[in-house]
Amino acid sequence: MLSARQVVAVIGYPLKHSLSPVFQQAAFDAYRLPVTYEAWEVPPASLAAVLTRVRQSDCLGINITIPHKEAVIPYLDYLDDLVRQVGAVNTVVNRSGVLWGYNTDGPGFLRALAEVGVSPAGQVVLVVGAGGAARAVVCALARAGAERVLIANRTPERARALVALAAGLGQAAVVVPWEPAALVAAGQQAGLIVNCTSVGLRHTPTEAASPLPAAALHPDALVYDLIYNPAETVLLRQARERGARTLNGLSMLLYQGALAFELWTGRPAPVETMRACLEAALARRG
Ligand code: NDP
């Protein structure tokens, strides 16, 4: 039971648009826990000092976002197995001055799929992208028992590295060449198509673009875009127009946060309260 006021924070640099303070605070408030969730903008040079602060008894832990997800690892005492696989931490828990690192992005992705009755087990999955989010997704797919993962990325070396990571986890995976005919063929084979690139993100030069040719999309696929702003990217619109089921990244954001909340508090996350807060915050942003 918490008595004195505690703090939890998200750290990143820059840290303009994080939605974590809004929906995590709502979760603590729903339980009337004396916890304040803050946003700490931490330049790389200050990372060590901030981790010393996190060890203090009034700090339950932190969320970590770009660019610290990998750099934080040397400052932690214990790493969850998934962190060792993905090579990145998004949640730290302070247990009596001992810092534990977790990655809830991949499990959050799986919970988001489970919520709509989808399991990657036995499925051919097309993953587009090979950055940090793609690594978390591919490790989650391996854990969930995907049949085969097809990985397409603009920079082929990064796709090859991700295929090697998957192979190390016993997951069958192949590189898909970054060219229209190969992307179409891969999409047509896949029951689940996941966009892990930033193509389509609001307020970027690719906002009006899709990472895949429309012909890669088909009515038997679930198309999951990790992007949640805009709520419907060009990829998701084209997928919907072609009869596919579509889902945006809001649910992954929600569930990675819900899992972090459960690690800090040991209590079930008030998911519907958190979802309502997220949706309202995004609606305010337009
Ligand atoms: P990274 O910077 O690590 O990776 C970016 C990826 O996008 C790379 O594969 C990169 O390809 C690709 N990419 C960028 N621009 C282009 C382009 N013009 N054409 C083709 N490919 C491009 O970012 P993250 O992996 O951390 O994040 C990726 C996306 O996922 C972001 O939009 C982020 O907001 C979202 N995300 C959502 C989460 C959620 O909870 N819903 C959680 C985490 C991320 P290349 O290797 O060739 O550069």
Side-chain angles (χ1 to χ4, degrees):
M1 191 65 188
L2 299 172
S3 48
R5 190 126 203 120
Q6 304 277 309
V7 68
V8 180
V10 55
I11 69 164
Y13 189 78
L15 194 57
K16 288 186 296 247
H17 301 300
S18 177
L19 289 163
S20 294
V22 177
F23 75 107
Q24 292 288 7
Q25 189 64 59
F28 289 115
D29 293 349
Y31 277 110
R32 299 182 190 282
L33 291 173
V35 177
T36 306
Y37 192 104
E38 299 180 349
W40 296 345
E41 195 159 68
V42 176
S46 305
L47 190 58
V50 164
L51 268 294
T52 302
R53 168 72 188 89
V54 175
R55 278 183 201 277
Q56 291 175 7
S57 60
D58 68 334
C59 186
L60 287 183
I62 49 174
N63 277 137
I64 301 169
T65 186
I66 291 168
H68 301 312
K69 284 184 163 188
E70 294 163 22
V72 75
I73 288 176
Y75 300 101
L76 305 178
D77 303 305
Y78 290 100
L79 301 177
D80 182 61
D81 282 349
L82 209 46
V83 169
R84 294 179 200 281
Q85 293 172 7
V86 178
V89 171
N90 78 333
T91 302
V92 172
V93 182
N94 176 17
R95 298 194 174 105
S96 307
V98 177
L99 300 186
W100 295 68
Y102 297 89
N103 191 312
T104 65
D105 283 332
F109 168 72
L110 292 179
R111 271 220 209 173
L113 291 183
E115 182 182 62
V116 295
V118 171
S119 162
Q123 292 224 45
V124 176
V125 184
L126 171 59
V127 171
V128 189
R135 281 208 311 274
V137 164
V138 167
C139 291
L141 292 172
R143 200 162 263 213
E147 182 189 313
R148 199 150 42 93
V149 182
L150 317 175
I151 300 175
N153 193 54
R154 177 181 61 176
T155 308
E157 305 84 70
R158 294 184 90 190
R160 285 197 286 273
L162 193 46
V163 163
L165 173 65
L169 300 174
Q171 172 64 59
V174 293
V175 173
V176 176
W178 190 252
E179 51 193 52
L183 294 170
V184 169
Q188 289 295 331
Q189 287 174 51
L192 175 61
I193 297 172
V194 190
N195 177 33
C196 302
T197 76
S198 50
V199 176
L201 199 56
R202 177 155 282 169
H203 303 314
T204 70
T206 60
E207 178 170 355
S210 167
L212 285 177
L217 310 168
H218 60 90
D220 298 328
L222 170 69
V223 181
Y224 193 101
D225 198 330
L226 263 59
I227 294 172
Y228 49 82
N229 193 11
E232 186 177 66
T233 55
V234 173
L235 171 69
L236 291 188
R237 177 172 54 75
Q238 291 180 343
R240 177 174 53 78
E241 287 167 356
R242 290 190 160 241
R245 290 177 75 189
T246 61
L247 207 54
N248 73 27
L250 188 99
S251 50
M252 177 172 165
L253 177 70
L254 169 68
Y255 282 113
Q256 64 75 30
L259 290 164
F261 178 88
E262 290 171 2
L263 286 166
W264 294 318
T265 65
R267 300 174 192 229
V271 170
E272 292 316 318
T273 301
M274 296 169 89
R275 190 195 314 267
C277 264
L278 261 179
E279 286 172 351
L282 276 169
R284 280 197 299 276
R285 285 183 188 185

